[in-house]
Amino acid sequence: MANTLGSVSNGKAIAQRALTTLVDSLPFLTKAVTDFSDVPARMNDTITTHLVTVGTAGAYSTTAGYVAQDRTQTDATISLSNLIHSTYAIRDDEKYSSSIDLINRFASSAAYALGKSMTDSLLGLVTSTYASTLTVAAGALSYRGVVSLGYSLDTNKVPSNDRYAIVSPDNKASLLNDSSIVANAQIQGDTVKTGSIGMVNGIEVFSYTALPSAVSKGFAAQKEALIVAARVPEALDNYPGSQDVVTDPSSGLSLAVREFVNPTLGTTNRSYILLFGVGRGSTSSLVRIV
């Protein structure tokens, strides 16, 4: 195996760059209910996170005052059943013979590998268990369609905050060709400039190129429809190299990074490691596009 490398930087710094790239590349991962932490865990440990039912407002009473109202919090238990990594080895001859920027070359590929694994596991849960659907012809999603998705969520009494949609590339293209979105005087020109759709009818729209077949056209959801939890694996005893944890400050997602040098083979070995689990939340909080 031969790699094309630049000068080798600190493994922790590279991991930090990889993590930032992961979160920036797949921002919808943080739109679900997330339970991210840098607390070490073991594979198949369970994490209990919570779904909070929206409360109601009450009128002030001149006799009873501010009466406390009941709130409902539902436990959601997630098993950390996925231990994934992105690992590469750098030979000494590669390390000392190239000026290619290692951080830019390898951090993005490491991030994509880890992020895609998380994303595919999470989106694999979007099946007929989520019974609400909206029928749209392939590549024909429009502003009116997004409005209909929002209406379906409203009908299901889903909170209006933290709504998002993940759509197929052809449906993204359809939205970008909809004059109600890109030619509206009320909308800034960033959509035209960057191809990022952003907020439509209170739903933040993203696109993903590898949606599973069960939801190949996309879906709209509120935050509590899907759940993802992540931890870092425990440090190994007597590990022959360095072991560090890096954390994305905006999302709280953490990666473990391990590095060791094999002096006999003349290789520097790096692993970016993530332990995660996914689960379904409120099944009324998601509408599949079919």
Side-chain angles (χ1 to χ4, degrees):
M1 180 183 69
N3 305 298
T4 302
L5 306 174
S7 59
V8 177
S9 301
N10 179 272
K12 186 173 181 179
I14 297 173
Q16 187 71 62
R17 176 66 174 269
L19 181 56
T20 301
T21 304
L22 186 161
V23 175
D24 289 346
S25 299
L26 301 167
F28 52 78
L29 270 176
T30 62
K31 296 302 177 181
V33 171
T34 56
D35 189 330
F36 296 154
S37 172
D38 60 358
V39 175
R42 296 183 179 182
M43 189 172 182
N44 295 319
D45 279 357
T46 57
I47 302 297
T48 299
T49 187
H50 308 284
L51 305 176
V52 180
T53 302
V54 176
T56 57
Y60 171 76
S61 168
T62 56
T63 57
Y66 297 97
V67 179
Q69 298 168 309
D70 292 336
R71 291 291 188 268
T72 301
Q73 177 174 279
T74 304
D75 289 347
T77 301
I78 304 299
S79 174
L80 299 174
S81 56
N82 301 279
L83 177 62
I84 60 174
H85 70 98
S86 181
T87 298
Y88 55 87
I90 308 165
R91 295 199 318 262
D92 282 351
D93 62 324
E94 297 173 317
K95 182 194 300 187
Y96 300 125
S97 64
S98 175
S99 60
I100 300 297
D101 186 342
L102 174 61
I103 292 178
N104 288 331
R105 177 61 59 89
F106 274 46
S108 58
S109 63
Y112 182 79
L114 296 176
K116 186 176 187 302
S117 181
M118 288 184 71
T119 299
D120 291 347
S121 294
L122 186 65
L123 298 186
L125 298 177
V126 184
T127 65
S128 58
T129 301
Y130 296 94
S132 297
T133 61
L134 176 73
T135 300
V136 175
L141 184 63
S142 64
Y143 174 76
R144 294 184 65 179
V146 178
V147 171
S148 296
L149 289 169
Y151 175 72
S152 295
L153 292 172
D154 291 340
T155 301
N156 289 348
K157 297 181 172 55
V158 174
S160 58
N161 61 300
D162 296 321
R163 293 182 177 184
Y164 66 98
I166 304 175
V167 301
S168 60
D170 59 345
N171 274 330
K172 175 187 176 181
S174 178
L175 290 173
L176 289 174
N177 280 298
D178 188 333
S179 60
S180 297
I181 295 175
V182 297
N184 192 316
Q186 303 295 323
I187 298 175
Q188 297 179 351
D190 286 348
T191 296
V192 176
K193 294 177 182 177
T194 67
S196 176
I197 297 172
M199 195 71 72
V200 179
N201 188 44
I203 299 174
E204 191 170 5
V205 181
F206 304 93
S207 180
Y208 185 56
T209 59
L211 286 165
S213 58
V215 64
S216 60
K217 296 179 183 178
F219 64 88
Q222 199 270 346
K223 190 177 186 71
E224 296 195 347
L226 293 166
I227 307 167
V228 57
R231 296 290 187 271
V232 292
E234 293 182 332
L236 298 175
D237 294 334
N238 302 315
Y239 187 73
S242 64
Q243 300 184 91
D244 293 295
V245 173
V246 295
T247 301
D248 175 66
S250 61
S251 66
L253 182 63
S254 297
L255 294 179
V257 54
R258 293 176 182 159
E259 177 181 320
F260 76 91
V261 175
N262 186 319
T264 302
L265 296 178
T267 59
T268 301
N269 300 270
R270 288 201 184 99
S271 294
Y272 306 141
I273 311 168
L274 181 63
L275 186 59
F276 76 94
V278 296
R280 294 186 178 95
S282 169
T283 55
S284 64
S285 296
L286 187 146
V287 180
R288 294 179 294 121
I289 304 172
V290 297

